[in-house]
Amino acid sequence: MASLKGRLNLLRSMGLAKASEMAADQVQSPLPQAQQDLPSGWEQFAPHCHVSTICSSFALGSDFPPSFDARLFGRIANRDSYSATILDDMALEAMIPLESLSFFDLETTGLSGGTGTIAFLAGIGYFESGTFMVSQVFMDDFPGETDLLGLTLESLAKRPILVTYNGKAFDIPLMRTRCILNGMAIPPFRHFDLLHTSRRLWKATMDSCSLSALEAAVLDIERSDDVPGALIPGIWLEYVNSPPASVRRRQSLPKIRSVLAHNVQDLVSLARLMCRIMAIGEDPLHRGPDNRVDPRGLARMLLAGGREEEALSILEQAGGDGNQPALVMLARFYRRHGLASKYCESIGLMDDTTVESCVEKAKYFEHSEKDFAGALRYAEKALQIIDSQIARNCGQTNITTAQRKRDLILKRKARLERKTAVNGSADHSPGSA
Amino acid sequence: MMQETATDFLARFESWLRQRGEVAWTHRFPARAPELVDLPADLDPALRTALEGRGITRLYTHQADSYQFARQGRDFVVVTPTASGKTLCYNLPVVQTLLENPVARALYLFPTKALSQDQQAELNEIALGGSLPVKIQTYDGDTPASLRTVAKSSARIVITNPDMLHSGILPNHAKWVTFFSNLRYVVVDEMHAYRGVFGSHVGNVLRRLQRIAAFYGARPTFIFCSATIANPRELAESLIERPVNLVDHNGASLGEKTMFFFNPAIIDPVQGMRRSSSLESEQIALHLLQEGVKTILFARSRLQVELIASYMNQSLENPYNENNRIRVSPYRSGLLPSERRAIEKGLREGSIQGVVSTNALELGIDIGGLDAAVISGYPGSSASFWQQAGRAGRRGASSIAVFVASSSPLDQYFASHPEYFLSQGAEAAHVDLDNPYIFIDHAKCAAFELPFAEDEGFGASSGEDTGEALALLESEGVLRHTGRRWYWSNEGYPSETISLRSATSDNVVIVDVTRGAYSVIGEMDRASAKELLFDNAIYIHLGRQFMVQKLDVEKRLCRVERSDAEYWTDSITKTDLHVLTEDESRDFGRGEVVAFRYSIGDVLVRTQAEKYKKLRFHTHENVGYGEISLPPEEMQTRALALVFPKETRAGTFLAAKDPAACAGILVGVGRLFKYLAPLFLLCDSSDLGISERARDPHFEAPALYFYDKYPGGTGLAEALSGKLEQLLAASLERIKACPCKGGCPSCIGVDFIGRVDFKTEIAEFLQDCMEPRGAGA
């Protein structure tokens, strides 16, 4: 059999690879050309690693509270094996000073994860005397990784409570993987992932809970000339794969600069979002008419912080405006806490336009009123609604959830049919008369 | 299995077979007594108790030998026929080591998911039966997220398959730190499955595995288990590129096995037409089932499996006695995992008596208690054949294997050559870890997992060779060479786009939408879907019949609806071939005159399903046609072209014929080659595509193409060119030995009816290809 080398050459000649025409263009020297590539204010820290710290345009008002109640952010169940060790020792230490937070965001060479994905830019934001500062560490080539990781860990250690957007699933596992591969230890961090909090507050009212969607809808920020996140890996790879001082490298520079700016923007938005959520938590009943906070999510957040009274008034307020999901949540709360009259009252406020309200009513008639026929009518109604939903959404991903709900309704219906049959034959139940 | 004596039953069965058709030959394999030794002295008392709880107080000699090798940390391969207590060969030393060392880990690799499932059940029995503190976790595509965390962190034995190791575990090795740091054993079961393309891929996955283990400071011992093949040690050594010990003396007892080679009766002596082997197999299996013999029937395609199983259940249908309480179930790839599990359980527990299977069951799933195996047509290699035959009689009881010959030239060759069949032994299995395509694929994955150091060799390949491959990848723009290392420098996740098996990563999901339902019932690879799931096709799934509403190739979605048509559908595909390169061209022929020319090179093959036939159930008569409008499948691969220009001897012969006759001759020869190739190469005749051209536009002469059906080729075209002489001789022998008059499915095919002299013409042509007429014997 021909040698591997020979066979590889055959492959090359067969056109699997276009022979590298820019080989001559390629310089093997690791000279710190990159320093000139970066905007002013950047300093070289190591051969391939650069740092910058800027004062952002964002600052807190003088009356802004200096600390926040960690419990509002709840204990969010997470499925990631790492975060389990990193967070969740939030314990009962409720009030956390804003100035002890590191807002953290990585820019990486891929979005799908795996050990071949690396972070080439780490951004860390923090408040210093009310002003939001952003430190960035950038590497201009692969060998700069150890320095980038070392600097980043050092910087995070100063304010070891992290705030991220999707960091539990993405940034932190990636950081951990990179540290392992570089033989470094990553300490446990406490960690608020605002993605989870934001989903709780806004998922019901917004199509997307991405940071950029929230920026536009909640924070009223409009970015100009922003790089879409999906293009960022390609931009850095194009930069790093192009020979220093080549035309390709020059052409990639403006894009690299926009990535640096994008990262600053993300951190500023993250900080603003944190402040926005804090403000909502400070005064949940007066959060302004224009915001899109889902009353149920807010109520859940307050319940997690032990603020039951405010949670219930939020729900009652929304229920009064005819918000069916809020009424359903209210009814469930009263039912579980055995507050019969309140329960009955919230049932009375419900209409029967949603699956959940019909199911809740069916439960009420079955268990509280023992009116099985009445309950059956609502179960049937629920079935009708969900069937029309399934028919409309056919082919969509949430179809299995809907199917599961439907199965539960079918079970309920079958049970109620049995009960009405038994009752019907024994005597006429008061409810069906 | 029966009240009468085994001998009486066999005699009765044989005479029944003789009434149905022709019993070409029979062979009896005698029973053998076991060779036993004591349990190892250092065995943990808890483990000893667990074994004794399962009635194991002594070991077969090969189990004891395996134990010693494994405990000494020496890599070895153990060759075990079915039913020889294979799993204990590795479970015993592994569990013992895990008990001694509370952090040690082991990885078990099985070629299929179903096998892993079975293995976990068996291991749990050993571990829990003796309450041993060894956590075992399967990690594959079906593992729920919560259990995946268990596998990564606390499981001591992780059971998986090469595909999952390749695309799930290795690319995320940093999440498996504890596991890799403490990896002591890697068990590779069913090693014989790792041959050809799949094996070459798996060998490279093992290179990556060892590279990652080394990164975390581990050097695991490898334990291989294999069914009988000609070269187990060589294969194991090729897979991990270092010396491996061999345990091949089997100490297990063997039950008596009787093999019948059954040739279906000839129904048309002129055309040499025999009864269909699948219908005959069905009748034989039915007969055995009705005699109370638990039977497994092996058919060759998914479609056949479904058809045969449903015919059998229909034949058994009898409302008065619940079908004699006999249930037959199909078992094939494309069923959902839960459906497969249910069938496996049914077999184990006895609620199912008969199974119709593709080779999904050929590998060692322990289904237990089967008494007879009926094999419909040669499965492509003798290793597969003996595996299938070995499915019956697992408990050392006497058993039956019936080989039902199809009309293919290879099967008919065996019918008249029992000595060849019985003595050919197992084929040798080969892998080529340095196949440049495969090497490049895995070099990519390895660089993604960990940057390559400057002079690092990948596996056993030299730093220089590896550097060549990495440089090639750099020029493709996926790697960056800097700071004396090669870094993955691309956004992609390379293993996602690299399938270890052909075309499995690209599946079409089949959804049943009957009456507004929306439930996924199965999946199929894209290329097969175009041939089986076209609009209005009849799709049979677990005996239920569906009609395809819409195949959306782009969305990889196929909507089907329950149907009760009287027919099934079979697509007619058209293949186009375009020559891209001619890398090597040679003359063939001894003496002064060139017999023909041949050429090896790259081709583009375009396959398109254009029409389909509707065939009535049972009678298989054609009841109509339909159009298929789907985009063609395209594939670049390697091909061998036999070219017959006028100035060559065989070309001169063809030039004297009219174009139709010329095409006919090429069709006949192509068919013979395709079906006889597995005699000389370890491949399946379906791995080989054929295209014949009476006037080839590229070579401007008659040409016959053989192309590799694996994209990029796997060396089949090259290997075939080295076997031309033998193939020509075997083809000529087959054509002369065939009793038919003018061609039949067992030789040149049935496209020649009405031209009685065709057989002679093809024989003369083959003779011209080989040597001057009259010069030979």
Side-chain angles (χ1 to χ4, degrees):
Chain A
M1 195 165 288
S3 76
L4 177 61
K5 195 172 163 183
R7 295 164 83 186
L8 287 168
N9 281 330
L10 187 69
L11 269 197
R12 210 195 276 270
S13 66
M14 275 158 46
L16 174 114
K18 283 136 210 87
S20 156
E21 277 128 26
M22 40 157 208
D25 198 14
Q26 217 143 19
V27 189
Q28 278 290 343
S29 93
L31 281 177
Q33 176 81 35
Q35 195 51 45
Q36 303 157 26
D37 296 348
L38 297 170
S40 62
W42 280 84
E43 275 174 45
Q44 176 141 17
F45 170 78
H48 292 286
C49 183
H50 311 264
V51 292
S52 137
T53 299
I54 56 160
C55 208
S56 81
S57 55
F58 178 47
L60 296 175
S62 55
D63 56 341
F64 201 85
S67 61
F68 64 95
D69 184 353
R71 290 176 305 166
L72 289 180
F73 293 83
R75 275 173 192 243
I76 292 135
N78 68 79
R79 289 185 197 86
D80 183 86
S81 55
Y82 303 132
S83 20
T85 60
I86 296 174
L87 33 109
D88 284 356
D89 56 343
M90 211 61 88
L92 295 166
E93 187 191 332
M95 297 311 284
I96 292 182
L98 209 47
E99 302 219 329
S100 64
L101 299 179
S102 286
F103 295 82
F104 184 53
D105 186 32
L106 294 173
E107 305 301 336
T108 66
T109 59
L111 305 174
S112 46
T115 47
T117 303
I118 62 163
F120 63 86
L121 174 65
I124 297 161
Y126 51 92
F127 285 104
E128 205 169 75
S129 320
T131 303
F132 189 65
M133 310 290 291
V134 174
S135 280
Q136 288 176 301
V137 192
F138 174 77
M139 67 193 219
D140 66 53
D141 203 351
F142 292 93
E145 190 182 23
T146 326
D147 291 313
L148 178 136
L149 294 172
L151 263 182
T152 304
L153 287 178
E154 204 176 288
S155 183
L156 291 176
K158 291 182 203 150
R159 295 170 201 80
I161 302 178
L162 307 192
V163 180
T164 65
Y165 208 78
N166 196 26
K168 282 186 190 177
F170 189 76
D171 303 65
I172 296 304
L174 191 119
M175 183 78 184
R176 167 164 287 253
T177 294
R178 298 323 305 167
C179 286
I180 288 171
L181 291 178
N182 283 276
M184 303 164 84
I186 178 169
F189 289 106
R190 294 200 269 169
H191 184 173
F192 294 98
D193 188 336
L194 296 195
L195 172 65
H196 301 292
T197 320
S198 302
R199 278 204 184 128
R200 181 172 267 190
L201 290 176
W202 288 290
K203 193 184 170 187
T205 61
M206 294 190 38
D207 294 337
S208 155
C209 268
S210 71
L211 188 56
S212 52
L214 287 177
E215 261 179 20
V218 178
L219 302 174
D220 282 329
I221 298 175
E222 233 180 274
R223 292 197 196 192
S224 54
D225 303 331
D226 189 44
V227 202
L231 296 186
I232 290 175
I235 290 175
W236 188 77
L237 289 167
E238 169 65 15
Y239 167 82
V240 83
N241 286 333
S242 60
S246 65
V247 179
R248 261 175 76 197
R249 168 71 58 109
R250 266 204 307 287
Q251 284 169 345
S252 71
L253 287 181
K255 291 182 189 157
I256 283 289
R257 292 173 187 215
S258 8
V259 171
L260 299 174
H262 170 92
N263 180 252
V264 172
Q265 263 297 341
D266 273 357
L267 287 169
V268 170
S269 297
L270 190 60
R272 284 182 187 271
L273 183 62
M274 180 75 190
C275 293
R276 180 86 195 105
I277 295 171
M278 276 172 68
I280 292 170
E282 279 292 307
D283 193 0
L285 286 162
H286 302 93
R287 41 186 208 285
D290 189 35
N291 83 53
R292 301 158 171 245
V293 172
D294 174 22
R296 278 182 312 165
L298 180 54
R300 275 195 204 108
M301 181 167 148
L302 293 168
L303 286 173
R307 291 155 66 177
E308 194 175 295
E309 208 172 299
E310 283 166 289
L312 294 178
S313 17
I314 299 268
L315 290 174
E316 269 162 7
Q317 193 182 54
D321 297 342
N323 183 323
Q324 293 303 309
L327 284 172
V328 170
M329 184 172 166
L330 204 57
R332 281 183 193 156
F333 182 89
Y334 289 137
R335 170 159 55 81
R336 289 196 189 124
H337 288 77
L339 298 163
S341 64
K342 287 275 193 186
Y343 177 36
C344 175
E345 193 183 308
S346 51
I347 290 285
L349 284 170
M350 267 181 217
D351 63 18
D352 42 15
T353 55
T354 70
V355 177
E356 286 72 22
S357 54
C358 289
V359 169
E360 201 52 45
K361 282 192 179 178
K363 282 183 194 166
Y364 173 77
F365 281 108
E366 181 180 357
H367 300 295
S368 300
E369 298 284 332
K370 309 284 178 215
D371 173 2
F372 302 135
L376 184 56
R377 275 198 301 279
Y378 280 109
E380 278 163 354
K381 180 95 193 176
L383 191 65
Q384 217 178 346
I385 299 173
I386 202 153
D387 277 343
S388 75
Q389 283 174 355
I390 289 173
R392 261 182 287 131
N393 296 341
C394 195
Q396 277 178 18
T397 44
N398 59 2
I399 207 83
T400 45
T401 330
Q403 283 289 0
R404 225 173 291 136
K405 261 192 210 168
R406 185 174 185 273
D407 289 346
L408 286 178
I409 298 171
L410 279 178
K411 252 182 225 162
R412 177 174 302 279
K413 182 168 164 261
R415 186 179 63 231
L416 288 167
E417 275 164 353
R418 266 197 317 276
K419 283 188 175 177
T420 43
V422 169
N423 269 16
S425 60
D427 61 338
H428 287 280
S429 75
S432 59
Chain B
M1 71 192 195
M2 52 218 98
Q3 288 97 354
E4 62 193 323
T5 68
T7 326
D8 290 347
F9 175 80
L10 283 172
R12 203 155 55 77
F13 178 63
E14 186 173 341
S15 74
W16 181 85
L17 274 182
R18 286 192 190 281
Q19 281 167 19
R20 266 206 91 74
E22 182 189 318
V23 176
W25 45 268
T26 63
H27 190 82
R28 186 159 301 185
F29 299 89
R32 200 180 59 198
E35 294 167 46
L36 294 162
V37 293
D38 287 338
L39 290 175
D42 63 345
L43 214 55
D44 189 292
L47 186 49
R48 188 179 290 265
T49 314
L51 285 177
E52 284 166 359
R54 301 174 78 212
I56 299 168
T57 51
R58 307 190 75 196
L59 294 183
Y60 294 133
T61 46
H62 61 283
Q63 294 170 333
D65 292 346
S66 299
Y67 184 83
Q68 293 310 329
F69 276 127
R71 296 282 287 156
Q72 290 160 14
R74 294 161 73 184
D75 307 310
F76 69 95
V77 52
V78 50
V79 180
T80 55
T82 21
S84 59
K86 166 188 70 176
T87 49
L88 224 46
C89 292
Y90 51 81
N91 281 339
L92 207 53
V94 167
V95 173
Q96 171 68 21
T97 303
L98 298 189
L99 288 174
E100 284 170 10
N101 176 351
V103 295
R105 301 286 201 275
L107 177 70
Y108 283 19
L109 219 47
F110 291 87
T112 68
K113 273 192 232 168
L115 284 170
S116 339
Q117 203 74 24
D118 200 60
Q119 186 51 223
Q120 168 145 24
E122 167 143 344
L123 265 165
N124 282 340
E125 202 188 320
I126 300 180
L128 303 177
S131 359
L132 303 176
V134 174
K135 196 182 276 180
I136 299 147
Q137 181 57 52
T138 306
Y139 189 85
D140 60 28
D142 305 336
T143 310
S146 54
L147 290 178
R148 293 189 172 210
T149 310
V150 170
K152 287 172 195 158
S153 51
S154 59
R156 308 286 306 285
I157 298 177
V158 171
I159 301 173
T160 188
N161 53 58
D163 314 80
M164 198 62 187
L165 184 59
H166 157 70
S167 64
I169 297 176
L170 289 173
N172 292 294
H173 60 84
K175 295 182 178 170
W176 295 77
V177 182
T178 323
F179 181 80
F180 281 115
S181 310
N182 297 295
L183 186 58
R184 287 287 301 277
Y185 288 106
V186 176
V187 172
V188 181
D189 201 348
E190 310 287 339
M191 178 190 73
H192 54 277
Y194 303 128
R195 60 174 195 243
V197 177
F198 185 39
S200 306
H201 272 293
V202 171
N204 276 288
V205 172
L206 295 181
R207 282 174 163 174
R208 286 159 53 198
L209 169 68
Q210 295 184 79
R211 188 168 174 260
I212 295 304
F215 176 73
Y216 293 106
R219 188 191 180 281
T221 299
F222 278 78
I223 304 177
F224 295 93
C225 291
S226 175
T228 309
I229 54 171
N231 58 342
R233 189 203 300 241
E234 188 194 343
L235 180 60
E237 291 182 344
S238 312
L239 285 171
I240 56 168
E241 304 176 288
R242 59 175 189 248
V244 166
N245 296 286
L246 175 66
V247 177
D248 64 351
H249 178 79
N250 178 21
S253 60
L254 273 183
E256 184 184 81
K257 185 185 293 288
T258 310
M259 177 173 299
F260 298 92
F261 194 109
F262 180 80
N263 211 352
I266 293 184
I267 45 175
D268 180 345
V270 179
Q271 296 172 36
M273 291 277 271
R274 292 177 184 275
R275 281 207 192 113
S276 139
S277 61
S278 64
L279 294 179
E280 287 299 284
S281 305
E282 175 196 324
Q283 289 306 317
I284 294 168
L286 266 177
H287 175 78
L288 287 165
L289 283 168
Q290 282 160 339
E291 291 275 353
V293 179
K294 284 190 179 178
T295 302
I296 181 161
L297 194 165
F298 287 99
R300 298 229 43 198
S301 69
R302 293 192 273 217
L303 184 63
Q304 268 192 20
V305 163
E306 286 290 356
L307 281 175
I308 294 176
S310 81
Y311 290 172
M312 283 175 78
N313 280 322
Q314 282 168 29
S315 306
L316 289 165
E317 217 154 74
N318 183 335
Y320 300 109
N321 61 11
E322 292 175 58
N323 306 354
N324 286 316
R325 291 186 185 74
I326 301 171
R327 247 187 85 206
V328 177
S329 176
Y331 184 101
R332 57 169 173 88
S333 56
L335 298 183
L336 293 177
S338 56
E339 291 171 337
R340 288 222 216 175
R341 299 299 99 76
I343 296 167
E344 286 159 22
K345 191 157 168 261
L347 275 166
R348 271 199 293 265
E349 293 175 353
S351 62
I352 295 174
Q353 289 71 29
V355 177
V356 185
S357 178
T358 49
N359 57 8
L361 255 193
E362 169 195 314
L363 303 163
I365 296 167
D366 187 7
I367 46 172
L370 286 164
D371 305 315
V374 178
I375 299 163
S376 171
Y378 191 60
S381 75
S382 85
S384 289
F385 178 85
W386 294 111
Q387 276 273 303
Q388 296 187 350
R391 299 305 321 174
R394 296 189 61 114
R395 303 271 146 85
S398 63
S399 62
I400 297 173
V402 187
F403 177 24
V404 182
S406 75
S407 50
S408 93
L410 191 58
D411 287 24
Q412 291 306 314
Y413 183 89
F414 289 137
S416 48
H417 293 81
E419 73 299 333
Y420 185 90
F421 189 85
L422 291 165
S423 71
Q424 68 172 324
E427 291 90 349
H430 294 289
V431 290
D432 180 5
L433 270 57
D434 290 343
N435 168 312
Y437 288 96
I438 296 175
F439 187 95
I440 288 272
D441 275 351
H442 291 277
K444 258 190 229 178
C445 297
F448 179 91
E449 284 149 14
L450 213 56
F452 274 95
E454 186 82 0
D455 298 315
E456 184 183 345
F458 182 42
S461 56
S462 69
E464 193 194 347
D465 279 352
T466 305
E468 279 294 315
L470 298 176
L472 188 67
L473 288 170
E474 187 187 29
S475 67
E476 290 256 284
V478 297
L479 293 192
R480 171 157 171 73
H481 189 201
T482 179
R484 299 186 55 75
R485 297 181 99 189
W486 300 87
Y487 293 91
W488 177 251
S489 184
N490 187 278
E491 304 173 49
Y493 185 91
S495 57
E496 215 167 54
T497 54
I498 297 166
S499 165
L500 307 184
R501 312 167 199 247
S502 47
T504 45
S505 58
D506 196 13
N507 281 355
V508 169
V509 173
I510 306 165
V511 182
D512 175 13
V513 294
T514 309
R515 278 191 296 277
Y518 194 89
S519 57
V520 174
I521 56 171
E523 55 180 8
M524 192 182 288
D525 66 275
R526 195 193 63 207
S528 308
K530 284 183 175 177
E531 292 178 21
L532 293 169
L533 294 176
F534 45 87
D535 297 357
N536 298 322
I538 300 295
Y539 172 68
I540 306 178
H541 186 91
L542 284 183
R544 284 170 302 160
Q545 199 196 97
F546 298 87
M547 184 184 271
V548 174
Q549 245 189 15
K550 181 76 202 159
L551 170 64
D552 189 333
V553 178
E554 236 157 71
K555 288 192 184 142
R556 306 280 185 272
L557 190 76
C558 178
R559 289 199 304 269
V560 301
E561 226 174 6
R562 289 300 292 270
S563 98
D564 50 5
E566 301 271 285
Y567 60 89
W568 48 288
T569 51
D570 195 12
S571 64
I572 306 167
T573 56
K574 195 184 134 204
T575 303
D576 257 358
L577 187 142
H578 180 68
V579 176
L580 301 173
T581 64
E582 263 182 78
D583 297 332
E584 196 188 327
S585 297
R586 292 205 179 161
D587 294 339
F588 185 91
R590 275 172 297 184
E592 287 113 69
V593 191
V594 174
F596 60 91
R597 299 218 166 90
Y598 66 90
S599 182
I600 299 169
D602 281 6
V603 293
L604 182 73
V605 179
R606 193 178 285 126
T607 318
Q608 182 155 31
E610 294 186 319
K611 275 186 186 160
Y612 63 92
K613 285 186 280 196
K614 298 177 180 173
L615 297 161
R616 196 188 295 283
F617 283 114
H618 300 286
T619 63
H620 296 195
E621 70 188 289
N622 196 335
V623 292
Y625 283 94
E627 298 287 326
I628 303 175
S629 50
L630 286 170
E633 275 292 305
E634 283 194 351
M635 170 179 76
Q636 191 179 326
T637 185
R638 304 279 287 167
L640 165 72
L642 309 188
V643 190
F644 307 99
K646 262 196 214 94
E647 63 274 18
T648 62
R649 191 170 52 236
T652 314
F653 181 88
L654 288 182
K657 311 283 167 196
D658 62 79
C662 174
I665 290 172
L666 294 179
V667 168
V669 173
R671 196 185 139 81
L672 282 164
F673 267 42
K674 179 180 163 84
Y675 286 101
L676 293 175
L679 276 178
F680 307 105
L681 309 173
L682 187 60
C683 72
D684 192 292
S685 55
S686 62
D687 297 339
L688 212 54
I690 294 184
S691 174
E692 64 283 318
R693 314 261 187 99
R695 246 185 245 125
D696 182 66
H698 180 82
F699 292 105
E700 295 178 336
L704 182 56
Y705 290 88
F706 299 93
Y707 60 88
D708 198 322
K709 285 201 175 166
Y710 182 80
T714 57
L716 270 186
E718 285 86 351
L720 201 60
S721 73
K723 296 285 182 192
L724 282 174
E725 210 168 322
Q726 288 97 313
L727 266 172
L728 286 165
S731 303
L732 189 59
E733 199 219 304
R734 177 85 279 269
I735 216 171
K736 284 181 173 165
C738 193
C740 73
K741 286 197 176 133
C744 73
S746 305
C747 56
I748 55 172
V750 290
D751 306 332
F752 311 97
I753 296 158
R755 297 282 311 264
V756 183
D757 55 346
F758 238 98
K759 253 178 94 176
T760 333
E761 296 218 345
I762 291 177
E764 281 173 12
F765 173 74
L766 285 169
Q767 194 77 60
D768 266 2
C769 285
M770 291 165 69
E771 50 200 319
R773 222 168 306 164

